[in-house]
Amino acid sequence: EKKEMAGVPVAVVTPPVIADQRRSRVLLNIHGGAFIYGEGMHTEAIVAAHWGNIKVISVDYRTAPDHPFPAVLEDTVAVYRELLKSYSPKQIAIYGSSAGGTFTATTILKLRDLGLPLPAAAGILTPATDLSQRIDGDSTYVMEGVDLALSGWRSKDSSTGPSELFYGAHDPTDPLISPIFGDYSRGFCPSYFLAGTRDFLLSATVMLHRKMHSAGVPCELHVFEAMWHGFNVMAHLPEAREATTDLMRFFDRWMEG
């Protein structure tokens, strides 16, 4: 069902059957799309609702280049505020893949900066974590040439790629753009990290997980053998089902109600 929440377009994905322990809970999905794509992309929400038997709200946030940073955070925070009118924070979890994983982390950092209650848990799935890096030789992108999904996604000779269009004139080391620069000792909700051994952003995922873990944030890291970037949204894959049901296990541990 397409509707608006706080003036932001969303899709409400309700599965035919909702698990008994999840009837009073909701997931907020922030979809991926390389920072510039994604209007109407609700695949992630559909997969999670189907395999997780839970209601999912997918934010159809504004994207660059027409709406660069911080438009996405304005939209995700607005929808979260609206959810707080109907749910307690412990009944809400936020998750997303790829750029959506990045935005999941930065949204929660923004919520913390605003003094809002944080959600029960987060799913930070295959995120880009340092947008100040380029693909030519940087450690974040060591899987270039191996990942079937993302290798060659931008030219090494290009001065403007999707991430640059997203952050524009802003400093890419701003933690609300590149979450690897965040201070997690100030608090963050329990987080589930996911990647594959052939994931273009495997190193980025591992480094952010390690930073949160070192700061005392309860978190788990799961890396699937031979899986590429974004495999978890491909519903026909048994690995996608396994990853999604495991994410729900993690959410069940921390969510209430």
Side-chain angles (χ1 to χ4, degrees):
E1 177 188 4
K2 292 185 177 181
K3 57 186 300 185
E4 285 192 357
M5 296 180 65
V8 179
V10 301
V12 180
V13 184
T14 307
V17 177
I18 297 180
D20 288 342
Q21 74 271 31
R22 298 169 186 159
R23 291 187 182 278
S24 61
R25 304 174 184 173
V26 66
L27 302 184
L28 179 61
N29 172 239
I30 308 174
H31 66 73
F35 302 99
I36 60 173
Y37 305 114
E39 182 178 354
M41 279 181 58
H42 306 303
T43 303
E44 293 178 39
I46 293 169
V47 171
H50 176 68
W51 293 126
N53 301 118
I54 189 170
K55 182 179 179 179
V56 182
I57 307 293
S58 177
V59 185
D60 198 2
Y61 57 84
R62 292 168 293 164
T63 58
D66 292 337
H67 303 283
F69 175 85
V72 59
L73 293 184
E74 293 170 351
D75 291 348
T76 57
V77 168
V79 174
Y80 182 77
R81 284 183 185 272
E82 195 68 18
L83 285 176
L84 288 176
K85 296 177 181 179
S86 302
Y87 299 89
S88 76
K90 288 295 185 181
Q91 294 174 314
I92 306 170
I94 303 178
Y95 79 101
S97 300
S98 192
T102 308
F103 296 150
T104 294
T106 56
T107 293
I108 295 169
L109 288 173
K110 182 64 175 180
L111 296 175
R112 187 190 67 187
D113 290 348
L114 291 171
L116 292 171
L118 300 186
I124 303 174
L125 315 177
T126 66
T129 60
D130 184 353
L131 274 62
S132 69
Q133 293 191 357
R134 298 177 58 81
I135 69 171
D136 42 351
D138 289 309
S139 60
T140 299
Y141 304 113
V142 293
M143 303 305 289
E144 169 69 13
V146 177
D147 191 324
L148 298 177
L150 274 189
S151 291
W153 71 295
R154 56 171 280 184
S155 169
K156 294 181 182 181
D157 299 324
S158 174
S159 61
T160 305
S163 59
E164 287 90 349
L165 291 173
F166 162 65
Y167 63 73
H170 296 273
D171 181 358
T173 64
D174 183 332
L176 297 182
I177 293 173
S178 296
I180 195 66
F181 298 104
D183 180 1
Y184 297 96
S185 66
R186 294 174 51 206
F188 200 86
C189 61
S191 298
Y192 182 102
F193 289 84
L194 178 71
T197 58
R198 299 179 185 177
D199 192 329
F200 186 81
L201 293 175
L202 171 60
S203 290
T205 305
V206 170
M207 287 189 291
L208 185 59
H209 165 265
R210 194 66 199 171
K211 183 160 188 178
M212 285 196 192
H213 173 77
S214 298
V217 177
C219 51
E220 295 183 7
L221 170 64
H222 296 267
V223 181
F224 278 62
E225 170 59 23
M227 289 294 103
W228 52 89
H229 186 74
F231 77 91
N232 56 296
V233 303
M234 301 176 184
H236 64 287
L237 294 177
E239 292 87 353
R241 179 176 184 176
E242 181 181 351
T244 302
T245 54
D246 195 48
L247 176 65
M248 297 304 146
R249 169 200 58 80
F250 183 84
F251 285 165
D252 283 340
R253 177 182 174 187
W254 296 102
M255 298 179 80
E256 299 175 359

